[in-house]
Amino acid sequence: MRTRRVAGIGAGLTALALAGLIVTITREATPPPIQPAAAPAPKPAGETRLYCEFYNFVGRSPKVGFYFAGPAEGATEYGQLFQTEADGTQTVFDKRPAWTYDRSGEAPTLRSPDGAIQINLYGDHGANGRQPDRGGWFEAGLRSVQYLNLDGQCRRTDS
């Protein structure tokens, strides 16, 4: 009888120890605080900003967006500030990748530094070579192996 009692107490203590171990192992540590995404650097005087977004084929929801710091008058490079994906991830570039801006073709184009992505800015200049209104959207197209060929739009902003 006494042996059963000792065995029962031993089994109970083992169960408590096991439960404590399981709680210790599965308890989540306090997560680190979420760091806010860095905002793009303030815009220097004379610099324009260009935001382009491109849509998936079916739902016309944004698939990828690019935000650039535009060149000074007559310059041929845009600095990429950030890129955002459909899943909400965003890459902010501390050192701005330099995309080339070429006006020699049918439509002005932006090309990524590695040449893998090209953005055709179809509506970048309207009738008489005028720029679209600030903040007004214009037609654009994305050409790349990664994102395929997507339709989209861009706009120039002052901020």
Side-chain angles (χ1 to χ4, degrees):
M1 187 89 126
R2 186 176 169 142
T3 308
R4 282 187 182 170
R5 182 181 258 181
V6 171
I9 292 173
L13 289 174
T14 302
L16 279 173
L18 183 59
L21 180 63
I22 290 171
V23 167
T24 302
I25 291 172
T26 59
R27 182 177 38 191
E28 292 184 21
T30 304
I34 296 173
Q35 299 296 323
K43 182 177 83 70
E47 182 179 84
T48 62
R49 298 285 168 101
L50 177 68
Y51 176 71
C52 298
E53 62 183 30
F54 300 93
Y55 308 103
N56 66 15
F57 294 108
V58 180
R60 295 284 296 170
S61 60
K63 182 172 178 81
V64 62
F66 301 90
Y67 193 51
F68 300 98
E73 189 66 33
T76 60
E77 290 184 345
Y78 276 73
Q80 186 177 5
L81 298 170
F82 71 80
Q83 183 170 328
T84 186
E85 304 289 333
D87 65 3
T89 59
Q90 179 174 304
T91 304
V92 177
F93 298 99
D94 292 327
K95 185 177 178 194
R96 299 175 180 177
W99 289 52
T100 57
Y101 179 67
D102 181 12
R103 296 187 72 106
S104 66
E106 184 177 315
T109 59
L110 282 171
R111 283 191 183 82
S112 63
D114 63 2
I117 300 174
Q118 176 177 312
I119 297 174
N120 296 324
L121 304 169
Y122 298 118
D124 194 26
H125 45 75
N128 304 324
R130 295 182 317 115
Q131 295 291 328
D133 294 334
R134 290 265 184 238
W137 291 96
F138 58 88
E139 184 181 352
L142 180 69
R143 306 294 174 256
S144 80
V145 172
Q146 178 182 357
Y147 296 107
L148 306 175
N149 296 338
L150 301 175
D151 292 329
Q153 57 186 358
C154 298
R155 70 177 174 171
R156 294 189 183 284
T157 64
D158 290 327
S159 57

